[in-house]
Every structure is written in C-alpha cells, then in structure tokens.
Amino acid sequence: MEKIDFRKVHKPLYNPPMGDFVVVEVPPMQFVMVDGAGDPNTAPAYRTAVEWLYGVSYAMKFSAKASLGQDYVVPPLEGLWWADDPESFVARDKHLWRWTMMIMVPDFIDRAVFDEAVAKTVKKLGAAPQSLRLALYDEGRALQTLHLGSYDAEGPVLARLHDVVMPTTGVTFNGPHHEIYLNDPRKTDAAKLKTILRQPVKAVG
C-alpha cells in the first residue's frame, strides 16, 4: 500500500526558500481544528488543543488505512495566529494572541471517519474541546518564507514582511498569520527549528 506524503504532493506549499518571500496559491484544504487564546507556552488550552489534534489525526489515519485502503503521513501541525494589532507578533506579545491550531486532513476522510476518530479519542483523553471540528479552509494567495531558528526570532522577519515586502508589492492582509511547523520543538534544538511563515494577502484597494 502506497503511503501518501502531502509535503511531497503539495511541494510548493511546504518548500519555500529561506529568507525570501514567495507567492503561493493555496487551494481549499480540509483540516481538523481547535481554537484558543493566550501564550502557547503557558496556556493549558494550547497543550490540550495539540494533544487532541494529534489524537484525532492518527485515529483517522489508522481508520483510513483499515477501511479505505488509503495510507498517508499525518501532515505537520499548523497554526493560524491573530490579534487586534498585527504588530503584537513582531513584539511577541503572546498573551494578546488568539489562535486556531490545525492539521490537514485528506479529501478521502469524510465526516463519518472524523466522528469515529473523535469518539475513540474521547476514550483516551476525556471530553473534547468545544471548538474541535473538521472544516474547509480556503486561504488563496499568500506570501511565505522558511524561517530557521527559534520561534521568538521570527519578529524581524515578520517586521520586514509587514513594513517592506507587502507595501512594495502592493498587497495587504487577507487573513490571519499562518505558521507550519516542520519539526517537533520537543525533539529539536531551537536553532534548528524549521517554520513556514505564511501571510494571506490581497491587492491594496
């Protein structure tokens, strides 16, 4: 049975250059999602969200392999981040952040498989977060780059995006800041963390 790796299937979305922002067109994709707010380093809701996303994602993977004959690599964790002032990200004022953490789900996973996976995960983790859902996310045109290093070192990169790249290319914000985590911070030195920084954009005016 072939195992699908969506980082290879959608290579342009997961392989941006480091240091330069490039334009990508992101198609509508299905995700399992959980919402929350506050500093991801200290908010208990963040840890719960991530635990649930992985629990449900792996339950869906195993179900798809057994019942649909489809096997795949669980895609990386992603996060949508926003605040009343986008400069909160540059300043790293994490207590002001709101977020949606999510993991991409293949199109061949339907609502029934998701519901079954949730029921299995409830037995392991207890009550599910109220915002847990399977939903389509249509991001569209975006600018993205690869950031190597600590999450807290993203500030200058985002400042350049907001203050230089976006104004000079004639675009503005069209959705929340988006991050894709290509390795596990629990197992990776901060200096070697690889994070895709993505910003949905639209033409000014």
Side-chain angles (χ1 to χ4, degrees):
M1 183 185 301
E2 181 182 1
K3 181 180 289 187
I4 305 168
D5 186 342
F6 291 99
R7 288 174 58 173
K8 295 178 180 178
V9 174
H10 300 294
K11 190 173 182 179
L13 302 182
Y14 294 100
N15 193 36
M18 186 169 63
D20 293 326
F21 282 91
V22 295
V23 177
V24 290
E25 294 290 338
V26 187
M29 292 190 289
Q30 183 172 232
F31 289 87
V32 56
M33 299 177 163
V34 177
D35 303 325
D39 186 338
N41 295 317
T42 58
Y46 180 85
R47 183 178 301 175
T48 298
V50 173
E51 189 175 34
W52 263 91
L53 289 174
Y54 277 111
V56 172
S57 293
Y58 275 97
M60 290 189 292
K61 165 190 164 64
F62 297 140
S63 177
K65 185 176 180 180
S67 63
L68 304 176
Q70 296 268 24
D71 193 14
Y72 63 96
V73 178
V74 171
L77 180 69
E78 307 188 26
L80 306 178
W81 302 87
W82 69 98
D84 292 336
D85 183 357
E87 292 307 307
S88 298
F89 298 105
V90 176
R92 314 311 288 171
D93 292 329
K94 299 178 184 178
H95 64 288
L96 300 175
W97 296 356
R98 286 172 283 171
W99 40 263
T100 296
M101 303 311 297
M102 58 193 198
I103 294 176
M104 195 269 276
V105 179
D107 291 342
F108 51 77
I109 299 290
D110 62 15
R111 179 70 55 179
V113 175
F114 170 74
D115 289 342
E116 180 184 1
V118 171
K120 289 180 179 178
T121 310
V122 164
K123 295 178 181 178
K124 296 179 180 179
L125 300 180
Q130 288 188 347
S131 62
L132 178 71
R133 63 194 182 278
L134 183 67
L136 196 68
Y137 187 58
D138 188 357
E139 197 162 30
R141 186 184 181 200
L143 290 167
Q144 68 176 27
T145 190
L146 178 66
H147 172 70
L148 178 65
S150 167
Y151 301 139
D152 286 331
E154 294 174 5
V157 181
L158 297 176
R160 182 166 62 88
L161 171 66
H162 299 170
D163 301 336
V164 179
V165 177
M166 292 172 63
T168 58
T169 52
V171 297
T172 189
F173 298 96
N174 192 36
H177 171 69
H178 188 167
E179 297 190 352
I180 303 172
Y181 308 102
L182 301 181
N183 41 23
D184 188 341
R186 299 169 301 175
K187 303 176 183 177
T188 308
D189 184 89
K192 297 181 180 179
L193 289 171
K194 294 181 179 180
T195 309
I196 296 173
L197 306 181
R198 180 185 294 168
Q199 178 58 57
V201 295
K202 62 182 178 181
V204 174

